[in-house]
Amino acid sequence: MNDQIDTLQGIAMFDGLSTEDMKRLTEVAQIMEFETGELILHEGGNGQNLWVVLEGECEVYKHQQDGTTPGNSVLLAELGPHSHFGELSFFHAALHSADVKAKTHVRVFRLTRKAFDALAKAGSCAPYKLAYNAMATVSERLRRMDKWVTELLDHSQLDNHHMTEWEQFRQKLFPA
């Protein structure tokens, strides 16, 4: 048990958790391993799990929906040790938005939504601290995306067609 707690120390997702919080987490979570190329999450799947990479690397892929190339995927991210994923479906029950597969042999920490809810119901602060830490990472990702989109718009000359696409995209993000 102490080895598992030691493994989680220093990972941003677990910042602010007391030794007791860590102990409770390690009692309800699982450490899992996946081999190179193995699918961890499938786009369109519906499991509510929060994952933290302990060792190894994962790749996040999104299937293109434009119909031009069936089965074609875009690499969205490469995740190394201490990265987390699955938070979108974990905190908002929805289908997985992308595939996550092991780029190398990986060891991951997995917390189910059921275990998270049970910890919260038992009065543990751990779920709230995890949610806060996950939100900080998601907010930073969104901030970087906003900057990138703004730079793209600043460096391009949008014709009427592309301006219409931009307006549609913006309205999907921020519906009235």
Short mmCIF file of all heavy atoms in Angstrom, two decimals, residues 133-161:
data_model
loop_
_atom_site.label_atom_id
_atom_site.label_comp_id
_atom_site.label_asym_id
_atom_site.label_seq_id
_atom_site.Cartn_x
_atom_site.Cartn_y
_atom_site.Cartn_z
N ASN A 133 -7.97 19.42 -9.43
CA ASN A 133 -6.72 19.23 -10.17
C ASN A 133 -6.98 18.91 -11.64
O ASN A 133 -6.27 19.40 -12.52
CB ASN A 133 -5.87 18.14 -9.51
CG ASN A 133 -5.37 18.56 -8.14
OD1 ASN A 133 -5.27 19.75 -7.83
ND2 ASN A 133 -5.06 17.59 -7.30
N ALA A 134 -7.99 18.10 -11.91
CA ALA A 134 -8.34 17.79 -13.30
C ALA A 134 -8.82 19.05 -14.02
O ALA A 134 -8.45 19.29 -15.17
CB ALA A 134 -9.41 16.70 -13.35
N MET A 135 -9.62 19.86 -13.34
CA MET A 135 -10.13 21.08 -13.94
C MET A 135 -8.99 22.05 -14.26
O MET A 135 -9.01 22.72 -15.29
CB MET A 135 -11.14 21.76 -13.02
CG MET A 135 -11.73 23.03 -13.60
SD MET A 135 -12.46 22.85 -15.24
CE MET A 135 -13.89 21.89 -14.87
N ALA A 136 -7.99 22.09 -13.42
CA ALA A 136 -6.84 22.96 -13.69
C ALA A 136 -6.15 22.55 -14.98
O ALA A 136 -5.80 23.40 -15.81
CB ALA A 136 -5.86 22.92 -12.52
N THR A 137 -5.98 21.25 -15.19
CA THR A 137 -5.33 20.76 -16.41
C THR A 137 -6.21 21.01 -17.63
O THR A 137 -5.72 21.48 -18.67
CB THR A 137 -5.01 19.26 -16.30
OG1 THR A 137 -4.15 19.06 -15.18
CG2 THR A 137 -4.34 18.74 -17.55
N VAL A 138 -7.49 20.73 -17.52
CA VAL A 138 -8.41 20.94 -18.64
C VAL A 138 -8.47 22.43 -18.98
O VAL A 138 -8.48 22.81 -20.16
CB VAL A 138 -9.81 20.36 -18.33
CG1 VAL A 138 -10.82 20.78 -19.37
CG2 VAL A 138 -9.73 18.85 -18.22
N SER A 139 -8.47 23.29 -17.98
CA SER A 139 -8.49 24.74 -18.22
C SER A 139 -7.23 25.18 -18.95
O SER A 139 -7.31 26.00 -19.87
CB SER A 139 -8.60 25.49 -16.88
OG SER A 139 -9.83 25.22 -16.28
N GLU A 140 -6.09 24.64 -18.57
CA GLU A 140 -4.84 24.99 -19.23
C GLU A 140 -4.85 24.51 -20.69
O GLU A 140 -4.39 25.22 -21.59
CB GLU A 140 -3.64 24.42 -18.48
CG GLU A 140 -2.31 24.81 -19.09
CD GLU A 140 -2.09 26.30 -19.26
OE1 GLU A 140 -2.58 27.10 -18.42
OE2 GLU A 140 -1.44 26.68 -20.25
N ARG A 141 -5.40 23.33 -20.93
CA ARG A 141 -5.51 22.83 -22.31
C ARG A 141 -6.39 23.76 -23.13
O ARG A 141 -6.08 24.09 -24.29
CB ARG A 141 -6.09 21.42 -22.34
CG ARG A 141 -5.15 20.35 -21.84
CD ARG A 141 -5.85 19.01 -21.80
NE ARG A 141 -5.02 17.98 -21.17
CZ ARG A 141 -5.48 16.82 -20.76
NH1 ARG A 141 -6.77 16.51 -20.92
NH2 ARG A 141 -4.68 15.94 -20.20
N LEU A 142 -7.51 24.19 -22.56
CA LEU A 142 -8.43 25.09 -23.27
C LEU A 142 -7.77 26.44 -23.51
O LEU A 142 -7.91 27.03 -24.59
CB LEU A 142 -9.73 25.25 -22.48
CG LEU A 142 -10.82 26.07 -23.13
CD1 LEU A 142 -11.18 25.54 -24.52
CD2 LEU A 142 -12.06 26.11 -22.24
N ARG A 143 -7.02 26.92 -22.55
CA ARG A 143 -6.31 28.19 -22.71
C ARG A 143 -5.31 28.11 -23.87
O ARG A 143 -5.22 29.01 -24.70
CB ARG A 143 -5.59 28.53 -21.40
CG ARG A 143 -4.96 29.91 -21.38
CD ARG A 143 -4.44 30.29 -19.99
NE ARG A 143 -5.57 30.69 -19.16
CZ ARG A 143 -6.04 29.98 -18.11
NH1 ARG A 143 -5.45 28.88 -17.75
NH2 ARG A 143 -7.06 30.41 -17.43
N ARG A 144 -4.56 27.00 -23.95
CA ARG A 144 -3.62 26.82 -25.06
C ARG A 144 -4.36 26.71 -26.40
O ARG A 144 -3.90 27.23 -27.41
CB ARG A 144 -2.75 25.58 -24.83
CG ARG A 144 -1.69 25.79 -23.75
CD ARG A 144 -0.65 24.68 -23.71
NE ARG A 144 -1.18 23.34 -23.67
CZ ARG A 144 -1.31 22.59 -22.57
NH1 ARG A 144 -0.97 23.08 -21.40
NH2 ARG A 144 -1.79 21.37 -22.65
N MET A 145 -5.52 26.04 -26.39
CA MET A 145 -6.31 25.92 -27.63
C MET A 145 -6.81 27.29 -28.08
O MET A 145 -6.75 27.63 -29.26
CB MET A 145 -7.48 24.96 -27.41
CG MET A 145 -8.35 24.77 -28.64
SD MET A 145 -7.49 24.01 -30.03
CE MET A 145 -7.49 22.32 -29.51
N ASP A 146 -7.29 28.09 -27.14
CA ASP A 146 -7.74 29.45 -27.47
C ASP A 146 -6.62 30.26 -28.10
O ASP A 146 -6.81 30.96 -29.09
CB ASP A 146 -8.25 30.18 -26.21
CG ASP A 146 -9.60 29.69 -25.73
OD1 ASP A 146 -10.27 28.94 -26.45
OD2 ASP A 146 -9.97 30.07 -24.59
N LYS A 147 -5.44 30.16 -27.51
CA LYS A 147 -4.28 30.90 -28.04
C LYS A 147 -3.95 30.43 -29.45
O LYS A 147 -3.71 31.25 -30.35
CB LYS A 147 -3.08 30.71 -27.11
CG LYS A 147 -1.87 31.50 -27.53
CD LYS A 147 -0.72 31.33 -26.56
CE LYS A 147 0.40 32.23 -26.98
NZ LYS A 147 1.65 31.59 -27.07
N TRP A 148 -3.96 29.12 -29.64
CA TRP A 148 -3.64 28.56 -30.96
C TRP A 148 -4.66 29.01 -32.01
O TRP A 148 -4.30 29.42 -33.11
CB TRP A 148 -3.57 27.04 -30.87
CG TRP A 148 -3.28 26.37 -32.17
CD1 TRP A 148 -2.10 26.32 -32.83
CD2 TRP A 148 -4.21 25.67 -32.99
NE1 TRP A 148 -2.23 25.61 -34.01
CE2 TRP A 148 -3.52 25.20 -34.12
CE3 TRP A 148 -5.57 25.37 -32.85
CZ2 TRP A 148 -4.14 24.47 -35.12
CZ3 TRP A 148 -6.18 24.64 -33.85
CH2 TRP A 148 -5.47 24.20 -34.97
N VAL A 149 -5.95 28.93 -31.68
CA VAL A 149 -6.99 29.33 -32.63
C VAL A 149 -6.84 30.82 -32.96
O VAL A 149 -6.94 31.22 -34.13
CB VAL A 149 -8.40 29.02 -32.07
CG1 VAL A 149 -9.48 29.70 -32.88
CG2 VAL A 149 -8.63 27.52 -32.04
N THR A 150 -6.58 31.64 -31.96
CA THR A 150 -6.40 33.07 -32.19
C THR A 150 -5.21 33.33 -33.11
O THR A 150 -5.30 34.16 -34.02
CB THR A 150 -6.21 33.81 -30.85
OG1 THR A 150 -7.35 33.56 -30.04
CG2 THR A 150 -6.05 35.29 -31.05
N GLU A 151 -4.12 32.62 -32.89
CA GLU A 151 -2.95 32.77 -33.76
C GLU A 151 -3.27 32.35 -35.19
O GLU A 151 -2.84 33.00 -36.15
CB GLU A 151 -1.77 31.96 -33.22
CG GLU A 151 -1.16 32.57 -31.98
CD GLU A 151 -0.13 31.66 -31.31
OE1 GLU A 151 0.11 30.53 -31.81
OE2 GLU A 151 0.43 32.08 -30.29
N LEU A 152 -4.03 31.27 -35.35
CA LEU A 152 -4.43 30.85 -36.69
C LEU A 152 -5.25 31.92 -37.38
O LEU A 152 -5.04 32.23 -38.56
CB LEU A 152 -5.25 29.56 -36.63
CG LEU A 152 -4.52 28.25 -36.57
CD1 LEU A 152 -5.52 27.09 -36.44
CD2 LEU A 152 -3.65 28.03 -37.78
N LEU A 153 -6.20 32.48 -36.65
CA LEU A 153 -7.06 33.51 -37.23
C LEU A 153 -6.27 34.77 -37.54
O LEU A 153 -6.52 35.42 -38.56
CB LEU A 153 -8.23 33.83 -36.30
CG LEU A 153 -9.26 32.71 -36.14
CD1 LEU A 153 -10.23 33.04 -35.03
CD2 LEU A 153 -9.99 32.47 -37.45
N ASP A 154 -5.33 35.13 -36.69
CA ASP A 154 -4.52 36.32 -36.91
C ASP A 154 -3.64 36.20 -38.15
O ASP A 154 -3.36 37.18 -38.82
CB ASP A 154 -3.62 36.60 -35.70
CG ASP A 154 -4.38 37.19 -34.53
OD1 ASP A 154 -5.53 37.62 -34.71
OD2 ASP A 154 -3.80 37.22 -33.43
N HIS A 155 -3.18 34.97 -38.43
CA HIS A 155 -2.25 34.76 -39.53
C HIS A 155 -2.91 34.35 -40.85
O HIS A 155 -2.25 34.10 -41.83
CB HIS A 155 -1.20 33.71 -39.15
CG HIS A 155 -0.29 34.19 -38.08
ND1 HIS A 155 -0.48 33.87 -36.76
CD2 HIS A 155 0.79 35.01 -38.13
CE1 HIS A 155 0.46 34.46 -36.03
NE2 HIS A 155 1.24 35.16 -36.84
N SER A 156 -4.20 34.29 -40.85
CA SER A 156 -4.87 33.87 -42.10
C SER A 156 -5.81 34.96 -42.58
O SER A 156 -6.29 35.78 -41.81
CB SER A 156 -5.64 32.57 -41.88
OG SER A 156 -6.70 32.80 -40.97
N GLN A 157 -6.03 34.95 -43.84
CA GLN A 157 -6.99 35.85 -44.44
C GLN A 157 -8.27 35.04 -44.64
O GLN A 157 -8.32 34.18 -45.51
CB GLN A 157 -6.47 36.38 -45.79
CG GLN A 157 -5.19 37.19 -45.68
CD GLN A 157 -5.40 38.45 -44.86
OE1 GLN A 157 -6.45 39.07 -44.93
NE2 GLN A 157 -4.40 38.83 -44.09
N LEU A 158 -9.25 35.28 -43.80
CA LEU A 158 -10.48 34.50 -43.90
C LEU A 158 -11.37 35.04 -45.00
O LEU A 158 -11.79 36.20 -44.98
CB LEU A 158 -11.24 34.53 -42.57
CG LEU A 158 -10.56 33.87 -41.38
CD1 LEU A 158 -11.44 33.99 -40.15
CD2 LEU A 158 -10.26 32.41 -41.67
N ASP A 159 -11.66 34.18 -45.98
CA ASP A 159 -12.63 34.55 -47.00
C ASP A 159 -14.03 34.29 -46.42
O ASP A 159 -14.17 33.83 -45.30
CB ASP A 159 -12.39 33.78 -48.30
CG ASP A 159 -12.43 32.27 -48.10
OD1 ASP A 159 -13.10 31.78 -47.16
OD2 ASP A 159 -11.79 31.56 -48.91
N ASN A 160 -15.06 34.59 -47.18
CA ASN A 160 -16.43 34.44 -46.69
C ASN A 160 -16.73 33.01 -46.26
O ASN A 160 -17.39 32.79 -45.24
CB ASN A 160 -17.44 34.90 -47.75
CG ASN A 160 -17.47 36.40 -47.88
OD1 ASN A 160 -17.06 37.10 -46.97
ND2 ASN A 160 -17.95 36.89 -49.02
N HIS A 161 -16.27 32.03 -47.02
CA HIS A 161 -16.52 30.62 -46.69
C HIS A 161 -15.90 30.26 -45.34
O HIS A 161 -16.54 29.66 -44.49
CB HIS A 161 -15.99 29.70 -47.79
CG HIS A 161 -16.05 28.25 -47.45
ND1 HIS A 161 -17.24 27.56 -47.39
CD2 HIS A 161 -15.07 27.38 -47.09
CE1 HIS A 161 -16.99 26.31 -47.02
NE2 HIS A 161 -15.67 26.18 -46.83
#
